[in-house]
Amino acid sequence: MLEAIKDIGSLKIKQGDKDILEILLQDPNANGSYNKVAAIILEESQGIFNFVDVELEDYNSDKIFSYLFRRGNSRESNYSLTAILTEPSKTMRTKFLGWFSALWKIKNLPLKDEEIIYLKQIQKTLENEESTIISRISNIKSQMGKEGFIITLKIRTEEKDCYIGEISLFRFLLKYLVDKKDAKVFSTDKMCSLCGEIKDTVIGNLGTYKFYTLDKPGFITGGFNEKNAWKNFPVCLECKLEIEEGRKYVQSNLLFSFCGLSYFLIPKFLWGKEDTLNEVLDILVNTTKRISLKEKIVNSSIDDEEEILDVLKEVNDNVALYFLFIDNRNKLSAAEKIQLLIEDVFPSHLRTIFNAKRWVDEKFETPFHFSTIRKFFKRSDPKSKNDDLDKYFLEIINKIFKFKRIEIEFLEKFLMKGIRIAWIKDLYFHSSVQDAMKVLLFMEHLDLIDMEVKEMELNKFDVIFERYGNQFRTPLKRGLLLLGTLTELLLRKQYSERSAKPFMKQLKNLKMTEKDFKGLLPKVQNKLEEYDSYDTGKRRIAKAAADYLLQSEDIWNLSLEEMNFYFCAGMNLADEICSIVYDKEEKPNGTGE
């Protein structure tokens, strides 16, 4: 993946003719959360600095060079006197005063005497005015509420106010401090693991992504000596800069949303890099803009979040795609945890996946989306505020994109959980059952799950059974489905007569066992007789259900989840089943339809 990011960075550096400082600088407002800048104003007069005030101003993206921001370790200072505010006192002491402390610890600092005096005068003023500055920043923070902002330093002279990025000494120190950190773990005359060339210097502490860290001895190849860490992942300085630039581009342009989860879509070019790199990046960037501008189309066959994948499926297989899901919800945290990395997904994979989606779409009035799967793999408890099923959902997505087998028992467990919640709440039950059927059909068409198939005699209901692939290709599943349909017709009859469905108690919140199902058919028949609603059509359905159940093994080889699922499917398909046993003008007796 890093090689792909490096290729993107290399291209962007060439196109932009960028210098090293431009590559090293970061946008403190890259995520749009910090739209204000609080500048500590120090007035310089004959080498003496006096604190003036802390002034609040709007953030300006054209002033990236002026702000001179590059993030350091969260517990240490940054590479210059610009920081994102956390707590006023903490930011002041760690990011500002801490920057000076760290600087003076460096031996043989390559600064002239007058430059050292210049910096120490600034430090002295900041230390003397520390409590006042913290108080001013705290006041601003209380006025800003939850809105974040950036702290920086400005030097006021007779001529003008200068941001630190406009002072050559601070620009020099930023580059020097970055080089100093890189040189902490390095070796000479070794091969770079990215470009494959022997380089004068390779470093071992590439910090472009936070998830690559050497802060624990066990992370270091060959033991516990940090000096050997370059062996883990040797990278030359040229490739490091290209990765940094590539990351910035990916961060700004290739971030997408997938069923509520953020991910980076990173293209890797297998051949024809120079010819195809720009073309594919242009597709990715322009599609992002188009998605953000267009109005939502209800019942569109392509969800907004899927559109970028739908576009990429038409690209040739000279590009592979990485899907990098990172949990960075806590943006102030130093941690950057990979939730999932899906590697080497080719456009032809996407074509196969979208063909399966359209095959499913043709069978229902509403389209199937990946969000249909997400409904069942979001929260284990609908009352919870946290999405605690992300891991399971991403595992499924990984298997879909990589065409790996999925245990059907695992799927049905969560599908039935969602259906039961809808049943108990009496809310969206039929759409939940239909969504669960879509999920299984989609998986089946991609050959990701196993469906048992048995030869059976032709039946008048075959036209419906055939419509749903292999889902109903055993006598037992068909028997349960028709039993579900008959039960649904009874519930409709009860509701039309009593505005209630007392028979629902017999269904035990859809946790019926094999014994329950075997005793359910006569109960439904008797109850329909009591309501004088056991007409010819229902008798046909009941007879077919009984025939199929009798053809089944004495001991049913289905899990509790499966039995209840096929029963629910029958409830959901009641209208389709009725269209076969009743004439067009005829309706089930007494159901109020």
Side-chain angles (χ1 to χ4, degrees):
M1 181 190 73
L2 287 177
E3 186 178 356
I5 296 174
K6 168 188 138 23
D7 288 342
I8 294 172
S10 174
L11 181 75
K12 292 302 165 186
I13 289 173
K14 290 177 185 173
Q15 291 177 337
D17 192 23
K18 296 183 176 181
D19 65 20
I20 292 177
L21 183 62
E22 188 176 357
I23 296 169
L24 293 179
L25 291 182
Q26 297 171 336
D27 182 356
N29 191 35
N31 60 11
S33 299
Y34 307 99
N35 293 302
K36 295 288 183 181
V37 178
I40 302 170
I41 311 293
L42 299 186
E43 187 175 53
E44 181 191 8
S45 176
Q46 297 182 342
I48 303 299
F49 294 86
N50 292 305
F51 170 69
V52 178
D53 202 352
V54 179
E55 296 180 353
L56 192 65
E57 57 188 58
D58 291 334
Y59 172 83
N60 186 339
S61 60
D62 293 333
K63 294 182 178 177
I64 295 294
F65 275 96
S66 301
Y67 298 139
L68 206 70
F69 175 77
R70 183 178 171 88
R71 193 191 300 269
N73 189 301
S74 62
R75 291 169 294 183
E76 299 173 356
S77 58
N78 290 343
Y79 291 89
S80 74
L81 294 174
T82 296
I84 291 171
L85 179 76
T86 53
E87 293 299 326
S89 58
K90 182 179 177 183
T91 303
M92 187 66 194
R93 286 164 192 157
T94 304
K95 301 297 183 183
F96 279 73
L97 300 180
W99 182 84
F100 290 100
S101 300
L103 191 66
W104 304 137
K105 290 178 182 176
I106 298 173
K107 295 180 180 177
N108 301 321
L109 195 62
L111 294 179
K112 299 174 184 174
D113 290 343
E114 59 268 30
E115 292 173 327
I116 292 175
I117 293 171
Y118 179 85
L119 293 172
K120 289 204 169 186
Q121 286 298 326
I122 294 176
Q123 179 186 13
K124 180 181 177 182
T125 304
L126 292 176
E127 287 175 343
N128 290 340
E129 301 291 344
E130 178 184 354
S131 59
T132 304
I133 295 171
I134 291 174
S135 175
R136 299 289 174 87
I137 295 174
S138 297
N139 287 338
I140 294 173
K141 188 172 188 292
S142 63
Q143 294 170 13
M144 297 277 289
K146 293 183 179 179
E147 187 177 352
F149 58 95
I150 300 154
I151 305 292
T152 191
L153 182 69
K154 288 171 79 171
I155 304 298
R156 177 169 293 172
T157 64
E158 291 182 357
E159 291 79 23
K160 64 173 184 176
D161 289 355
C162 291
Y163 292 93
I164 55 171
E166 296 169 318
I167 300 171
S168 60
L169 175 58
F170 287 101
R171 294 199 299 271
F172 165 78
L173 283 174
L174 185 141
K175 287 190 285 188
Y176 173 79
L177 292 173
V178 172
D179 290 343
K180 190 77 179 172
K181 183 175 185 296
D182 289 343
K184 188 177 178 183
V185 181
F186 77 104
S187 187
T188 57
D189 296 324
K190 296 294 188 297
M191 179 181 290
C192 171
S193 58
L194 289 175
C195 65
E197 298 177 12
I198 302 293
K199 293 295 182 70
D200 293 339
T201 302
V202 294
I203 62 172
N205 55 344
L206 181 73
T208 308
Y209 282 96
K210 295 174 187 173
F211 51 72
Y212 181 73
T213 175
L214 300 173
D215 63 355
K216 292 182 175 60
F219 294 170
I220 300 172
T221 297
F224 305 101
N225 189 348
E226 191 179 2
K227 290 183 179 179
N228 291 325
W230 67 270
K231 296 177 181 177
N232 277 23
F233 183 37
V235 177
C236 69
L237 297 176
E238 293 81 4
C239 285
K240 174 185 179 291
L241 288 175
E242 291 173 350
I243 289 174
E244 293 227 357
E245 188 63 16
R247 169 169 180 156
K248 277 196 256 182
Y249 185 84
V250 168
Q251 198 97 27
S252 301
N253 299 283
L254 305 183
L255 177 63
F256 298 91
S257 179
F258 188 85
C259 300
L261 298 171
S262 296
Y263 73 101
F264 295 106
L265 183 54
I266 304 165
K268 173 188 175 184
F269 301 91
L270 306 178
W271 63 86
K273 291 183 181 179
E274 295 295 330
D275 296 333
T276 56
L277 187 57
N278 270 322
E279 178 187 348
V280 173
L281 291 179
D282 184 60
I283 290 173
L284 290 169
V285 173
N286 287 327
T287 303
T288 305
K289 292 176 182 174
R290 193 168 71 243
I291 291 172
S292 64
L293 291 175
K294 84 171 188 180
E295 294 181 0
K296 176 74 176 176
I297 301 173
V298 178
N299 286 341
S300 168
S301 64
I302 299 297
D303 204 353
D304 285 354
E305 295 184 338
E306 295 169 356
E307 183 162 343
I308 186 64
L309 305 181
D310 189 51
V311 172
L312 285 173
K313 78 181 191 313
E314 304 301 336
V315 176
N316 292 328
D317 273 355
N318 58 352
V319 56
L321 301 167
Y322 291 104
F323 294 76
L324 177 63
F325 292 84
I326 290 183
D327 183 1
N328 59 354
R329 284 170 285 191
N330 185 0
K331 293 181 171 57
L332 296 179
S333 170
E336 195 171 52
K337 182 181 178 184
I338 295 179
Q339 286 183 299
L340 175 68
L341 172 63
I342 307 176
E343 300 178 278
D344 295 332
V345 177
F346 293 94
S348 58
H349 291 180
L350 297 178
R351 284 196 291 276
T352 303
I353 290 168
F354 275 86
N355 286 340
K357 168 190 154 40
R358 292 197 166 88
W359 182 80
V360 176
D361 288 348
E362 291 172 357
K363 302 180 184 305
F364 299 91
E365 293 181 355
T366 55
F368 168 80
H369 297 300
F370 284 104
S371 56
T372 310
I373 304 173
R374 179 64 164 161
K375 289 178 186 174
F376 298 96
F377 292 89
K378 190 175 179 67
R379 294 173 187 164
S380 57
D381 182 352
K383 296 178 182 176
S384 173
K385 295 181 180 178
N386 300 319
D387 298 340
D388 59 344
L389 298 181
D390 288 353
K391 179 183 176 184
Y392 291 144
F393 176 70
L394 289 173
E395 282 179 6
I396 291 172
I397 296 304
N398 183 41
K399 289 185 176 180
I400 291 173
F401 283 175
K402 304 300 289 185
F403 300 128
K404 294 181 179 177
R405 308 291 287 176
I406 300 174
E407 292 292 328
I408 191 168
E409 292 80 8
F410 170 76
L411 281 176
E412 287 171 337
K413 175 184 173 183
F414 287 93
L415 296 180
M416 270 312 299
K417 185 179 179 67
I419 290 172
R420 286 192 187 104
I421 290 172
W423 172 263
I424 292 169
K425 288 187 171 183
D426 195 18
L427 196 65
Y428 306 120
F429 168 71
H430 287 285
S431 64
S432 294
V433 175
Q434 193 173 95
D435 284 342
M437 293 175 66
K438 291 177 187 174
V439 172
L440 289 181
L441 272 178
F442 178 71
M443 302 295 185
E444 181 199 332
H445 197 70
L446 287 175
D447 196 24
L448 303 182
I449 56 175
D450 293 319
M451 283 285 184
E452 185 182 6
V453 175
K454 289 187 177 179
E455 292 295 328
M456 288 172 284
E457 294 182 0
L458 294 178
N459 188 292
K460 56 179 170 293
F461 299 109
D462 284 352
V463 63
I464 293 176
F465 297 144
E466 295 297 326
R467 179 180 173 83
Y468 297 102
N470 289 330
Q471 286 198 24
F472 311 119
R473 291 288 181 89
T474 70
L476 179 53
K477 292 176 182 177
R478 292 184 176 184
L480 289 170
L481 182 145
L482 293 171
L483 179 55
T485 294
L486 200 63
T487 306
E488 170 68 13
L489 295 178
L490 170 61
L491 294 175
R492 292 181 185 181
K493 173 63 179 174
Q494 285 192 325
Y495 190 77
S496 70
E497 295 264 328
R498 306 172 57 176
S499 296
K501 302 175 181 176
F503 196 78
M504 285 177 65
K505 292 180 182 176
Q506 298 288 332
L507 307 185
K508 300 183 176 180
N509 286 336
L510 302 178
K511 291 184 178 178
M512 290 179 284
T513 63
E514 179 179 330
K515 182 180 178 182
D516 294 326
F517 281 115
K518 286 179 175 175
L520 188 61
L521 181 57
K523 289 181 182 178
V524 175
Q525 290 172 309
N526 290 337
K527 194 58 71 175
L528 286 169
E529 292 275 16
E530 290 177 16
Y531 280 92
D532 194 22
S533 181
Y534 199 30
D535 56 36
T536 304
K538 295 187 186 71
R539 290 177 188 276
R540 290 174 182 165
I541 297 171
K543 181 178 184 308
D547 288 345
Y548 278 126
L549 293 177
L550 287 172
Q551 292 176 41
S552 306
E553 304 289 336
D554 291 338
I555 299 176
W556 296 356
N557 188 27
L558 286 183
S559 69
L560 184 141
E561 309 296 347
E562 284 181 292
M563 288 187 288
N564 284 274
F565 171 76
Y566 292 110
F567 178 80
C568 292
M571 297 180 77
N572 193 63
L573 295 176
D575 290 332
E576 288 188 52
I577 297 294
C578 286
S579 69
I580 293 177
V581 296
Y582 294 98
D583 294 335
K584 286 186 178 179
E585 302 301 323
E586 186 183 7
K587 294 175 181 175
N589 180 19
T591 58
E593 296 179 351

